[in-house]
Amino acid sequence: MAWFKKERKPRTSERVKLEIPADAWEKCDRCGHIDIRDRFLRAFNVCPNCGYHRRITAQDYIDVFVDEGSWHELDAHLRSTDPLGFENYRERVELAMKKAGPLEGVRTGYARLDGMPIDLGVMDFNFMGGSMGSVVGEKIARLTRRSVEKRVPLIIVSASGGARMQEGVLSLMQMAKTSVEIARLRDARIPFISILTNPTTGGVSASYAMQADVIVAEPGAVIGFAGPRVIKQTIGQDLPEGFQTSEFLLEHGMVDAVVPRSELRDTAAQLLRHMAGRKPAEAAD
Amino acid sequence: MATHTLDFERPLLELERQIEELKRVAGEGAVDVAKELQPLEQKLSELRVQIYRNLTPMQRVQVARHPKRPYALDYLRSVFSDFVELHGDRLFRDDPAIVGGWARLDGQTVMAIGHQKGRDTKENLRRNFGMAHPEGYRKALRLMKLAEKFHAPVVTLVDTPGAYPGIGAEERGQAEAIAHNLLEMAGLRTPILTAIIGEGGSGGALGVGLGDRVLMLENAVYSVISPEGCAAILWKDASQRERAAEALKITAQDLLQLGVIDEIVPEPPGGAHADPDATAETLGSALRRHLAQLGKLRIVKLLKRREEKYLSMGALSGK
């Protein structure tokens, strides 16, 4: 029978419909790439298409760095008071606690990374833009002091818009406070790695974030002293493409390396082994 | 005088005009005006004292920014002697927004470092309105290390709207420059005496302001952000600067209470610009007194106190 005389079957519409829940998909904020959520998650919330590093929580970073089950939170009870009586400050802090949890703009603790003891501080941009007030300064200072006392390497993951306005000059003084402890850490020759994430600006970049032995930045993060908006306003012209990104800082000699999120853990471990005089990973065990 | 009158000084201006007029008439020799002049002059000085005693925070900002206010180089000539200016960071260029060099205070050699604003437009362009680039902070650090080497104390005079937010400044690492200064100042093995003489603009001020003692002129201000900047961020309206200046607690009195500064150096009625000589006199004696006290401390004790001073700053609850 000639093929063109073949009897056609009537079309039916009984294709099996896959039940895909609406929230199974994620869209990249930068390139618009749509992919299964799981693929975003497995890539540490980095877009599988363009490599855009989405903002992740402090807990996510803790999970990136620490060996499972080794995290011990420190100074979880420190709270900001309202030393200036700044209008709406208390309300804003309460709101931030609802949004980002009760642990303020930085979480600190001790843990293990590839079996090595570390002190880890992770800033949380979701808590009032990671702004540094008295609590952030004190937690960083205490963590650094612990590093000196226990002779444990320090890793700080920064994400901050700078000093917290609502605590006025006391916020500024946290730059001095943390610097005092970091200076002691340096004198004690304890390794200190700073990880810069999007964004790291103002009082945080002008203190501990830039005082480390090795400074590593996530790709595409905005890092600088002044924020881009302020600069644009000051000089009255548009900023060059890529200005103040991690790659820009690398090019200008301000950071040691730009490292994708998926490699942060291994890079940090490798650096620590070098600076602590340990054997390479394969030879460890 | 008339060109730089602040709005709240207008009542003074009116009185001054009357006094001038009387003097002019007297100059013509027709009448004896002493009788009328004396009460007017007394009223003027009383009014000046009264106005300056009740300045709002934003008015103090205006005084701190007054174009006639004495700047670092003025004090380097009036308070200090034997000043030799040293230039450059040895890395990129000399930043005229920060000046520094060897000087004598009470006969003793010190390293004096300060922000420097310009007196006129031309000088302001050169000095970038006292807003330093990274090379300014690096020059300051170089001079501090030099002071440490020769066991000379460091005296810093702070007067800046802030570290400059510009493209070159970011390219050359403004944040790193300030961060590095803080790290080094925290452990600098020589006394550091700081005076906020005008504007203490955030990280740009602290970058040379981590002192063992921090003094502050009565009408100087010290803030984490300018009132205009704060208002723009919090209320999307820079004209709310009065409200922001009030909220930020930026006056010498506020900062003494918060434990951020150690002493207020009084200014003459009418502010430092009304009588620069008198201001220099008071500032000079305060600097000499503190320097003498710091000089008595052994380095170990000095550093320990410096550390304790900054570690204790902040407001916390919950242990």
CSV table of all heavy atoms in Angstrom, one decimal, chain A residues 78-79 81 86-87 134 138 142 163 168-169 172-174 176-177 179 183-184 186 205-207 211 224-226 244 248 252 254, chain B residues 163 165 170-172 175 179 182-184 202-203 206 222 224 234-235 243 247-248 307 310-311 313-319:
chain,number,residue,atom,x,y,z
A,78,LEU,N,23.2,38.8,71.5
A,78,LEU,CA,23.6,40.2,71.4
A,78,LEU,C,22.5,41.0,70.6
A,78,LEU,O,22.1,40.6,69.5
A,78,LEU,CB,24.9,40.5,70.8
A,78,LEU,CG,26.2,40.2,71.6
A,78,LEU,CD1,27.4,40.5,70.8
A,78,LEU,CD2,26.1,41.0,72.9
A,79,ARG,N,22.1,42.1,71.2
A,79,ARG,CA,21.0,42.9,70.5
A,79,ARG,C,21.5,44.4,70.5
A,79,ARG,O,22.1,44.8,71.4
A,79,ARG,CB,19.7,42.8,71.3
A,79,ARG,CG,19.1,41.4,71.3
A,79,ARG,CD,18.5,41.1,70.0
A,79,ARG,NE,17.9,39.8,70.0
A,79,ARG,CZ,18.5,38.6,69.7
A,79,ARG,NH1,19.8,38.6,69.5
A,79,ARG,NH2,17.9,37.5,69.8
A,81,THR,N,20.9,48.2,71.1
A,81,THR,CA,20.0,49.1,71.9
A,81,THR,C,19.8,50.2,70.9
A,81,THR,O,20.3,50.2,69.8
A,81,THR,CB,20.6,49.5,73.2
A,81,THR,OG1,21.8,50.2,72.9
A,81,THR,CG2,20.9,48.3,74.1
A,86,PHE,N,17.0,57.0,67.9
A,86,PHE,CA,16.8,57.4,66.5
A,86,PHE,C,15.4,57.0,66.1
A,86,PHE,O,14.9,55.9,66.3
A,86,PHE,CB,17.8,56.7,65.7
A,86,PHE,CG,18.1,57.3,64.3
A,86,PHE,CD1,19.2,58.1,64.1
A,86,PHE,CD2,17.2,57.1,63.3
A,86,PHE,CE1,19.4,58.7,62.9
A,86,PHE,CE2,17.4,57.7,62.0
A,86,PHE,CZ,18.5,58.5,61.8
A,87,GLU,N,14.7,57.9,65.4
A,87,GLU,CA,13.3,57.6,65.1
A,87,GLU,C,13.1,56.4,64.3
A,87,GLU,O,13.8,56.1,63.3
A,87,GLU,CB,12.6,58.8,64.4
A,87,GLU,CG,13.2,59.3,63.2
A,87,GLU,CD,12.5,60.5,62.5
A,87,GLU,OE1,11.5,60.2,61.8
A,87,GLU,OE2,12.8,61.6,62.8
A,134,SER,N,26.5,48.4,66.5
A,134,SER,CA,27.3,47.9,67.6
A,134,SER,C,27.3,46.4,67.7
A,134,SER,O,28.3,45.8,68.1
A,134,SER,CB,26.7,48.5,68.9
A,134,SER,OG,26.7,49.9,69.0
A,138,GLU,N,30.7,44.2,67.5
A,138,GLU,CA,31.0,43.4,68.7
A,138,GLU,C,31.2,42.0,68.3
A,138,GLU,O,32.1,41.3,68.8
A,138,GLU,CB,30.0,43.6,69.8
A,138,GLU,CG,30.3,42.9,71.1
A,138,GLU,CD,31.4,43.5,71.9
A,138,GLU,OE1,31.8,44.6,71.6
A,138,GLU,OE2,32.0,42.8,72.8
A,142,ARG,N,34.6,39.9,68.8
A,142,ARG,CA,34.6,38.8,69.7
A,142,ARG,C,35.1,37.5,68.9
A,142,ARG,O,35.9,36.7,69.5
A,142,ARG,CB,33.3,38.5,70.3
A,142,ARG,CG,32.9,39.5,71.4
A,142,ARG,CD,31.6,39.0,72.1
A,142,ARG,NE,31.1,40.1,73.0
A,142,ARG,CZ,30.1,39.9,73.8
A,142,ARG,NH1,29.4,38.8,73.8
A,142,ARG,NH2,29.7,40.9,74.5
A,163,ALA,N,28.2,51.3,57.4
A,163,ALA,CA,27.9,51.5,58.8
A,163,ALA,C,26.4,51.8,58.9
A,163,ALA,O,25.7,52.3,58.0
A,163,ALA,CB,28.6,52.7,59.3
A,168,GLY,N,24.6,56.1,64.5
A,168,GLY,CA,25.4,57.3,64.4
A,168,GLY,C,26.9,57.0,64.5
A,168,GLY,O,27.4,56.0,63.9
A,169,VAL,N,27.7,57.8,65.1
A,169,VAL,CA,29.1,57.7,65.2
A,169,VAL,C,29.5,56.4,65.9
A,169,VAL,O,30.6,55.8,65.7
A,169,VAL,CB,29.8,58.9,65.9
A,169,VAL,CG1,31.3,58.7,66.0
A,169,VAL,CG2,29.5,60.1,65.0
A,172,LEU,N,30.3,54.1,63.3
A,172,LEU,CA,31.6,54.4,62.8
A,172,LEU,C,32.7,53.8,63.6
A,172,LEU,O,33.7,53.2,63.2
A,172,LEU,CB,31.8,55.9,62.7
A,172,LEU,CG,33.0,56.4,61.9
A,172,LEU,CD1,32.9,56.1,60.4
A,172,LEU,CD2,33.2,57.9,62.1
A,173,MET,N,32.5,53.9,65.0
A,173,MET,CA,33.5,53.4,65.9
A,173,MET,C,33.7,51.9,65.9
A,173,MET,O,34.7,51.3,66.3
A,173,MET,CB,33.2,53.8,67.3
A,173,MET,CG,33.3,55.3,67.5
A,173,MET,SD,35.0,55.9,67.1
A,173,MET,CE,34.6,57.3,66.0
A,174,GLN,N,32.7,51.2,65.3
A,174,GLN,CA,32.9,49.7,65.1
A,174,GLN,C,34.0,49.4,64.2
A,174,GLN,O,34.6,48.3,64.2
A,174,GLN,CB,31.6,49.1,64.7
A,174,GLN,CG,30.4,49.4,65.6
A,174,GLN,CD,30.7,49.1,67.1
A,174,GLN,OE1,31.2,48.0,67.5
A,174,GLN,NE2,30.5,50.1,67.9
A,176,ALA,N,36.8,51.0,64.1
A,176,ALA,CA,38.0,51.1,64.9
A,176,ALA,C,38.1,49.9,65.8
A,176,ALA,O,39.1,49.3,66.0
A,176,ALA,CB,37.9,52.4,65.8
A,177,LYS,N,36.9,49.5,66.4
A,177,LYS,CA,36.9,48.3,67.3
A,177,LYS,C,37.3,47.1,66.6
A,177,LYS,O,38.2,46.4,67.1
A,177,LYS,CB,35.4,48.2,67.8
A,177,LYS,CG,35.3,46.9,68.7
A,177,LYS,CD,33.8,46.6,69.0
A,177,LYS,CE,33.3,47.4,70.1
A,177,LYS,NZ,31.9,47.0,70.5
A,179,SER,N,39.1,46.8,64.0
A,179,SER,CA,40.5,47.0,63.5
A,179,SER,C,41.5,46.6,64.7
A,179,SER,O,42.5,46.1,64.4
A,179,SER,CB,40.7,48.4,63.0
A,179,SER,OG,40.0,48.7,61.9
A,183,ALA,N,44.1,43.7,64.2
A,183,ALA,CA,45.6,44.0,64.4
A,183,ALA,C,46.2,43.0,65.3
A,183,ALA,O,47.3,42.5,65.1
A,183,ALA,CB,45.8,45.4,64.9
A,184,ARG,N,45.5,42.6,66.4
A,184,ARG,CA,46.0,41.6,67.3
A,184,ARG,C,46.1,40.2,66.6
A,184,ARG,O,47.1,39.5,66.8
A,184,ARG,CB,45.1,41.4,68.5
A,184,ARG,CG,45.1,42.5,69.5
A,184,ARG,CD,44.1,42.3,70.5
A,184,ARG,NE,44.2,43.2,71.7
A,184,ARG,CZ,43.3,43.2,72.7
A,184,ARG,NH1,42.3,42.4,72.7
A,184,ARG,NH2,43.5,44.1,73.7
A,186,ARG,N,46.6,39.8,63.4
A,186,ARG,CA,47.7,39.9,62.5
A,186,ARG,C,49.0,39.6,63.3
A,186,ARG,O,49.9,38.9,62.9
A,186,ARG,CB,47.8,41.2,61.8
A,186,ARG,CG,48.9,41.4,60.9
A,186,ARG,CD,49.0,42.8,60.3
A,186,ARG,NE,49.2,43.8,61.3
A,186,ARG,CZ,49.4,45.1,61.1
A,186,ARG,NH1,49.5,45.5,59.8
A,186,ARG,NH2,49.6,45.9,62.0
A,205,SER,N,33.8,47.6,54.1
A,205,SER,CA,34.9,47.5,53.1
A,205,SER,C,36.1,48.3,53.6
A,205,SER,O,37.2,47.9,53.4
A,205,SER,CB,34.5,47.9,51.7
A,205,SER,OG,34.2,49.3,51.6
A,206,ALA,N,35.8,49.4,54.3
A,206,ALA,CA,36.9,50.2,54.8
A,206,ALA,C,37.4,49.8,56.2
A,206,ALA,O,38.1,50.5,56.8
A,206,ALA,CB,36.5,51.7,54.9
A,207,SER,N,37.0,48.6,56.6
A,207,SER,CA,37.7,48.0,57.8
A,207,SER,C,38.0,46.5,57.5
A,207,SER,O,38.7,46.2,56.6
A,207,SER,CB,36.8,48.2,59.0
A,207,SER,OG,35.5,47.7,58.9
A,211,GLN,N,41.0,44.0,55.4
A,211,GLN,CA,42.2,43.9,56.2
A,211,GLN,C,42.8,42.4,56.3
A,211,GLN,O,43.7,42.1,57.0
A,211,GLN,CB,41.9,44.3,57.6
A,211,GLN,CG,41.7,45.8,57.7
A,211,GLN,CD,41.1,46.3,59.1
A,211,GLN,OE1,40.5,45.5,59.8
A,211,GLN,NE2,41.2,47.5,59.4
A,224,GLY,N,33.3,48.4,47.0
A,224,GLY,CA,33.9,49.7,47.0
A,224,GLY,C,33.8,50.4,48.3
A,224,GLY,O,33.2,49.9,49.2
A,225,PHE,N,34.3,51.7,48.3
A,225,PHE,CA,34.1,52.5,49.5
A,225,PHE,C,32.7,53.2,49.4
A,225,PHE,O,31.8,52.9,50.1
A,225,PHE,CB,35.2,53.5,49.6
A,225,PHE,CG,35.0,54.4,50.8
A,225,PHE,CD1,35.1,53.9,52.1
A,225,PHE,CD2,34.7,55.8,50.6
A,225,PHE,CE1,34.9,54.8,53.1
A,225,PHE,CE2,34.6,56.6,51.7
A,225,PHE,CZ,34.6,56.1,52.9
A,226,ALA,N,32.6,54.0,48.4
A,226,ALA,CA,31.3,54.7,48.2
A,226,ALA,C,30.4,53.9,47.3
A,226,ALA,O,30.9,53.1,46.4
A,226,ALA,CB,31.5,56.1,47.6
A,244,GLN,N,33.6,49.0,39.8
A,244,GLN,CA,33.4,48.5,41.2
A,244,GLN,C,32.9,47.1,41.3
A,244,GLN,O,32.4,46.6,42.3
A,244,GLN,CB,32.4,49.4,41.9
A,244,GLN,CG,32.9,50.8,42.3
A,244,GLN,CD,32.0,51.6,43.2
A,244,GLN,OE1,30.8,51.7,42.9
A,244,GLN,NE2,32.6,52.1,44.3
A,248,PHE,N,36.7,44.2,38.3
A,248,PHE,CA,37.3,45.5,38.3
A,248,PHE,C,38.3,45.6,39.4
A,248,PHE,O,39.5,46.1,39.2
A,248,PHE,CB,36.2,46.6,38.5
A,248,PHE,CG,36.7,48.0,38.6
A,248,PHE,CD1,36.8,48.8,37.5
A,248,PHE,CD2,36.9,48.6,39.9
A,248,PHE,CE1,37.2,50.2,37.6
A,248,PHE,CE2,37.3,49.9,40.0
A,248,PHE,CZ,37.4,50.7,38.9
A,252,HIS,N,42.5,46.0,39.3
A,252,HIS,CA,43.2,47.1,39.9
A,252,HIS,C,44.0,46.7,41.1
A,252,HIS,O,44.5,47.5,41.9
A,252,HIS,CB,42.2,48.2,40.3
A,252,HIS,CG,41.7,49.0,39.1
A,252,HIS,ND1,40.6,48.6,38.3
A,252,HIS,CD2,42.2,50.1,38.5
A,252,HIS,CE1,40.5,49.5,37.3
A,252,HIS,NE2,41.4,50.4,37.4
A,254,MET,N,43.1,45.0,43.9
A,254,MET,CA,42.5,45.2,45.2
A,254,MET,C,42.0,43.9,45.9
A,254,MET,O,41.7,43.9,47.1
A,254,MET,CB,41.4,46.2,45.2
A,254,MET,CG,41.8,47.6,44.9
A,254,MET,SD,43.0,48.2,46.1
A,254,MET,CE,43.9,49.4,45.1
B,163,ALA,N,35.8,61.0,52.8
B,163,ALA,CA,36.8,60.5,51.8
B,163,ALA,C,36.1,60.7,50.4
B,163,ALA,O,34.9,60.5,50.3
B,163,ALA,CB,37.1,59.1,52.0
B,165,PRO,N,34.4,60.3,47.0
B,165,PRO,CA,33.7,59.3,46.3
B,165,PRO,C,33.9,59.5,44.8
B,165,PRO,O,33.0,60.2,44.2
B,165,PRO,CB,32.2,59.4,46.7
B,165,PRO,CG,32.1,60.8,47.1
B,165,PRO,CD,33.4,61.4,47.4
B,170,GLU,N,38.2,55.1,43.8
B,170,GLU,CA,37.8,53.7,43.9
B,170,GLU,C,38.8,52.8,43.2
B,170,GLU,O,39.1,51.7,43.7
B,170,GLU,CB,36.4,53.5,43.3
B,170,GLU,CG,35.3,54.2,44.0
B,170,GLU,CD,34.9,53.6,45.4
B,170,GLU,OE1,35.1,52.4,45.6
B,170,GLU,OE2,34.5,54.3,46.3
B,171,GLU,N,39.3,53.2,42.1
B,171,GLU,CA,40.3,52.4,41.3
B,171,GLU,C,41.5,52.2,42.2
B,171,GLU,O,42.1,51.1,42.1
B,171,GLU,CB,40.7,53.2,40.1
B,171,GLU,CG,39.7,53.1,38.9
B,171,GLU,CD,40.1,53.9,37.7
B,171,GLU,OE1,40.9,54.9,37.9
B,171,GLU,OE2,39.6,53.6,36.6
B,172,ARG,N,41.9,53.2,43.0
B,172,ARG,CA,43.1,53.1,43.7
B,172,ARG,C,42.8,52.6,45.2
B,172,ARG,O,43.7,52.5,46.0
B,172,ARG,CB,43.8,54.4,43.7
B,172,ARG,CG,44.2,54.8,42.3
B,172,ARG,CD,45.2,56.0,42.3
B,172,ARG,NE,44.7,57.3,42.8
B,172,ARG,CZ,44.0,58.1,42.0
B,172,ARG,NH1,43.7,57.7,40.7
B,172,ARG,NH2,43.5,59.2,42.4
B,175,ALA,N,38.7,52.2,50.0
B,175,ALA,CA,38.3,51.4,51.2
B,175,ALA,C,39.6,50.7,51.8
B,175,ALA,O,39.8,50.8,53.0
B,175,ALA,CB,37.3,50.3,50.8
B,179,ALA,N,41.0,51.2,55.5
B,179,ALA,CA,41.1,50.0,56.3
B,179,ALA,C,42.5,49.8,56.8
B,179,ALA,O,42.8,49.4,58.0
B,179,ALA,CB,40.6,48.8,55.5
B,182,LEU,N,43.5,52.2,59.6
B,182,LEU,CA,42.9,51.8,60.9
B,182,LEU,C,43.7,50.7,61.5
B,182,LEU,O,44.0,50.7,62.7
B,182,LEU,CB,41.4,51.4,60.7
B,182,LEU,CG,40.5,52.4,60.2
B,182,LEU,CD1,39.1,51.9,60.0
B,182,LEU,CD2,40.5,53.6,61.1
B,183,LEU,N,44.0,49.7,60.7
B,183,LEU,CA,44.8,48.5,61.2
B,183,LEU,C,46.1,49.0,61.8
B,183,LEU,O,46.6,48.6,62.8
B,183,LEU,CB,45.0,47.6,60.0
B,183,LEU,CG,45.5,46.2,60.3
B,183,LEU,CD1,44.5,45.4,61.2
B,183,LEU,CD2,45.7,45.4,59.1
B,184,GLU,N,46.8,49.9,61.1
B,184,GLU,CA,48.1,50.3,61.5
B,184,GLU,C,48.0,51.3,62.7
B,184,GLU,O,48.8,51.2,63.6
B,184,GLU,CB,48.8,51.1,60.4
B,184,GLU,CG,49.2,50.1,59.2
B,184,GLU,CD,50.3,49.1,59.6
B,184,GLU,OE1,51.1,49.4,60.6
B,184,GLU,OE2,50.5,48.1,58.9
B,202,SER,N,32.8,60.9,58.6
B,202,SER,CA,32.7,59.5,58.6
B,202,SER,C,34.1,58.8,58.4
B,202,SER,O,35.0,59.2,59.1
B,202,SER,CB,31.8,59.0,57.4
B,202,SER,OG,31.4,57.7,57.6
B,203,GLY,N,34.1,57.8,57.6
B,203,GLY,CA,35.4,57.0,57.4
B,203,GLY,C,36.5,57.9,57.0
B,203,GLY,O,37.7,57.6,57.3
B,206,LEU,N,37.8,59.2,60.3
B,206,LEU,CA,38.4,58.1,61.1
B,206,LEU,C,39.7,57.6,60.6
B,206,LEU,O,40.6,57.2,61.3
B,206,LEU,CB,37.4,57.0,61.3
B,206,LEU,CG,37.7,55.9,62.3
B,206,LEU,CD1,37.8,56.4,63.7
B,206,LEU,CD2,36.8,54.7,62.2
B,222,TYR,N,30.8,65.5,64.0
B,222,TYR,CA,31.5,64.2,63.7
B,222,TYR,C,30.3,63.3,63.4
B,222,TYR,O,29.5,63.1,64.3
B,222,TYR,CB,32.3,63.8,64.9
B,222,TYR,CG,33.3,62.7,64.6
B,222,TYR,CD1,33.5,62.1,63.4
B,222,TYR,CD2,34.1,62.2,65.7
B,222,TYR,CE1,34.4,61.1,63.2
B,222,TYR,CE2,35.0,61.1,65.5
B,222,TYR,CZ,35.2,60.6,64.3
B,222,TYR,OH,36.1,59.6,64.1
B,224,VAL,N,28.6,59.8,61.0
B,224,VAL,CA,28.8,58.6,60.2
B,224,VAL,C,28.3,58.9,58.8
B,224,VAL,O,28.8,58.2,57.8
B,224,VAL,CB,28.0,57.4,60.8
B,224,VAL,CG1,26.5,57.6,60.7
B,224,VAL,CG2,28.4,56.1,60.2
B,234,LEU,N,17.0,58.1,54.2
B,234,LEU,CA,15.9,57.7,55.1
B,234,LEU,C,14.6,58.2,54.6
B,234,LEU,O,13.6,57.6,54.7
B,234,LEU,CB,16.2,58.1,56.5
B,234,LEU,CG,17.2,57.2,57.3
B,234,LEU,CD1,17.2,57.6,58.8
B,234,LEU,CD2,16.8,55.7,57.2
B,235,TRP,N,14.6,59.5,54.2
B,235,TRP,CA,13.3,60.1,53.9
B,235,TRP,C,13.2,60.6,52.4
B,235,TRP,O,12.3,61.3,52.1
B,235,TRP,CB,13.1,61.3,54.8
B,235,TRP,CG,13.2,60.8,56.3
B,235,TRP,CD1,12.4,59.9,56.9
B,235,TRP,CD2,14.1,61.3,57.3
B,235,TRP,NE1,12.8,59.7,58.2
B,235,TRP,CE2,13.8,60.5,58.5
B,235,TRP,CE3,15.1,62.2,57.3
B,235,TRP,CZ2,14.5,60.7,59.7
B,235,TRP,CZ3,15.8,62.4,58.5
B,235,TRP,CH2,15.5,61.7,59.7
B,243,ARG,N,16.3,67.6,60.4
B,243,ARG,CA,15.8,66.4,61.2
B,243,ARG,C,16.9,65.4,61.3
B,243,ARG,O,17.1,64.8,62.4
B,243,ARG,CB,14.7,65.9,60.4
B,243,ARG,CG,13.9,64.8,61.0
B,243,ARG,CD,12.7,64.5,60.1
B,243,ARG,NE,12.1,63.2,60.3
B,243,ARG,CZ,11.3,62.6,59.4
B,243,ARG,NH1,11.1,63.2,58.2
B,243,ARG,NH2,10.7,61.5,59.7
B,247,ALA,N,18.9,63.9,64.6
B,247,ALA,CA,18.8,62.5,64.9
B,247,ALA,C,20.1,61.8,65.0
B,247,ALA,O,20.3,60.9,65.8
B,247,ALA,CB,17.9,61.8,63.9
B,248,LEU,N,21.1,62.3,64.2
B,248,LEU,CA,22.4,61.5,64.2
B,248,LEU,C,23.3,61.8,65.4
B,248,LEU,O,24.3,61.1,65.5
B,248,LEU,CB,23.1,62.0,62.9
B,248,LEU,CG,22.6,61.3,61.6
B,248,LEU,CD1,23.1,62.0,60.3
B,248,LEU,CD2,22.9,59.8,61.5
B,307,GLU,N,43.5,50.2,72.8
B,307,GLU,CA,42.7,49.0,72.5
B,307,GLU,C,41.4,49.0,73.3
B,307,GLU,O,40.3,48.9,72.8
B,307,GLU,CB,43.4,47.7,72.7
B,307,GLU,CG,44.6,47.5,71.7
B,307,GLU,CD,45.5,46.4,72.0
B,307,GLU,OE1,45.2,45.7,73.0
B,307,GLU,OE2,46.4,46.1,71.2
B,310,TYR,N,38.7,51.6,72.3
B,310,TYR,CA,37.9,51.4,71.1
B,310,TYR,C,37.0,50.1,71.3
B,310,TYR,O,36.0,50.0,70.7
B,310,TYR,CB,38.7,51.4,69.8
B,310,TYR,CG,39.1,52.8,69.5
B,310,TYR,CD1,40.4,53.3,69.8
B,310,TYR,CD2,38.2,53.7,68.9
B,310,TYR,CE1,40.7,54.6,69.6
B,310,TYR,CE2,38.5,55.0,68.7
B,310,TYR,CZ,39.8,55.5,69.0
B,310,TYR,OH,40.1,56.8,68.8
B,311,LEU,N,37.6,49.1,72.0
B,311,LEU,CA,36.8,47.9,72.2
B,311,LEU,C,35.5,48.2,73.1
B,311,LEU,O,34.6,47.4,73.0
B,311,LEU,CB,37.7,46.8,72.9
B,311,LEU,CG,38.8,46.3,72.0
B,311,LEU,CD1,39.6,45.2,72.8
B,311,LEU,CD2,38.2,45.6,70.8
B,313,MET,N,33.6,50.7,72.8
B,313,MET,CA,32.6,51.6,72.1
B,313,MET,C,31.4,50.8,71.5
B,313,MET,O,31.6,49.8,70.9
B,313,MET,CB,33.3,52.4,71.1
B,313,MET,CG,34.1,53.6,71.7
B,313,MET,SD,34.6,54.7,70.5
B,313,MET,CE,35.8,55.7,71.5
B,314,GLY,N,30.2,51.3,71.7
B,314,GLY,CA,29.0,50.7,71.2
B,314,GLY,C,28.0,50.6,72.3
B,314,GLY,O,28.2,50.9,73.4
B,315,ALA,N,26.8,50.2,71.8
B,315,ALA,CA,25.7,50.1,72.8
B,315,ALA,C,25.0,48.8,72.5
B,315,ALA,O,24.4,48.5,71.5
B,315,ALA,CB,24.7,51.2,72.5
B,316,LEU,N,25.1,47.9,73.6
B,316,LEU,CA,24.7,46.5,73.4
B,316,LEU,C,23.8,46.1,74.5
B,316,LEU,O,23.9,46.6,75.6
B,316,LEU,CB,25.9,45.6,73.4
B,316,LEU,CG,26.9,45.8,72.3
B,316,LEU,CD1,28.2,45.1,72.7
B,316,LEU,CD2,26.4,45.1,71.0
B,317,SER,N,22.9,45.1,74.3
B,317,SER,CA,22.3,44.4,75.4
B,317,SER,C,22.4,42.9,75.1
B,317,SER,O,22.6,42.5,73.9
B,317,SER,CB,20.8,44.8,75.5
B,317,SER,OG,20.1,44.3,74.4
B,318,GLY,N,22.2,42.1,76.1
B,318,GLY,CA,22.1,40.6,75.9
B,318,GLY,C,23.5,40.0,76.1
B,318,GLY,O,23.8,39.0,75.4
B,319,LYS,N,24.4,40.6,76.9
B,319,LYS,CA,25.7,40.1,77.3
B,319,LYS,C,26.7,40.2,76.2
B,319,LYS,O,26.5,39.6,75.1
B,319,LYS,CB,25.5,38.6,77.7
B,319,LYS,CG,26.7,37.9,78.2
B,319,LYS,CD,26.3,36.5,78.7
B,319,LYS,CE,25.9,35.6,77.6
B,319,LYS,NZ,27.0,35.0,76.8
